[in-house]
Amino acid sequence: MTEETTASSADSRVREAAEGAAEGGVVGVVLAGGLARRMGGGDKPMTALAGKPILEHILDRVRPQVDALALNANGDPGRFAYYGMDVIADTMDGNPGPLAGVLSGLEWARRVHPQAQWLATFPGDAPFLPKNLVSRLSQAVERAGADLACAASDGRAHPVVGLWPVRLADDLRRAMVDDEIRKVDRWTGRHKLIQVEFAAEPVDPFFNANSPDDVATAERLMARIG
């Protein structure tokens, strides 16, 4: 067998493994449990952008990438009933940040979708997420033999845009409860993490609409990409 054939065979195995994960092993959660202080409070994903809520832009991009999708949000879940997906609250009190949303997502996946091996997480204020996000993260994990993956762009990591193994749900809960870990980087640093770089042109796919000014910028970016 030639070196070229061996490389081609290895690439094929990686593609098959990633495709297998996408077919039966990946569920997702949109993280929207924050307080949206810079937006003046309320539900940031429901902010209008180009004629529809930011959440709808996100769902259009990520729903085809996962087998099931939930929304991590606190308060009355009925306000999101229109979207027909599970709404899961933080399972830790005190608004401890996005890591709590990851934990809630992992525990939801284990409870509701026991066949799922992976959880993909998507920020609730990022309307330009890549349509190949999950497949690229899956491929990177397989190639590197990593425990988990997160996205990066323009040389900057985006820790909450990630692919997390459901098997680490209990590990994360212990880290948050016993060690009081709140920063995503502190916990992922305990495991083998692979960062996956995405192009930041023509639009950074991980642009966050965190404030009214950001929403205005997103309107201009949306017009640019059509």
Side-chain angles (χ1 to χ4, degrees), residues 53-88:
I54 290 173
L55 179 61
E56 292 189 22
H57 292 283
I58 295 170
L59 297 182
D60 289 346
R61 290 174 170 273
V62 306
R63 257 186 169 149
Q65 302 186 51
V66 294
D67 293 322
L69 189 65
L71 178 68
N72 165 232
N74 298 305
D76 179 11
R79 66 195 192 277
F80 300 108
Y82 170 81
Y83 296 101
M85 58 182 168
D86 289 351
V87 179
I88 52 176

Side-chain angles (χ1 to χ4, degrees), residues 37-48:
R37 291 188 180 93
R38 282 188 283 174
M39 198 69 81
D43 292 311
K44 188 164 44 173
M46 301 307 292
T47 303

Side-chain angles (χ1 to χ4, degrees), residues 99-178:
L99 198 55
V102 176
L103 175 61
S104 296
L106 289 171
E107 293 178 337
W108 163 80
R110 185 172 59 184
R111 182 178 68 255
V112 179
H113 299 282
Q115 84 288 352
Q117 298 181 36
W118 298 92
L119 175 77
T121 54
F122 314 106
D125 57 3
F128 305 111
L129 292 170
K131 295 180 179 180
N132 64 347
L133 175 60
V134 172
S135 64
R136 288 202 54 202
L137 295 179
S138 297
Q139 290 167 9
V141 165
E142 292 290 337
R143 286 197 178 98
D147 295 315
L148 62 170
C150 77
S153 62
D154 200 23
R156 184 167 63 93
H158 306 287
V160 299
V161 187
L163 188 68
W164 319 75
V166 177
R167 62 179 173 81
L168 289 182
D170 290 338
D171 182 279
L172 177 54
R173 175 164 285 280
R174 284 192 298 269
M176 295 195 72
V177 173
D178 297 342

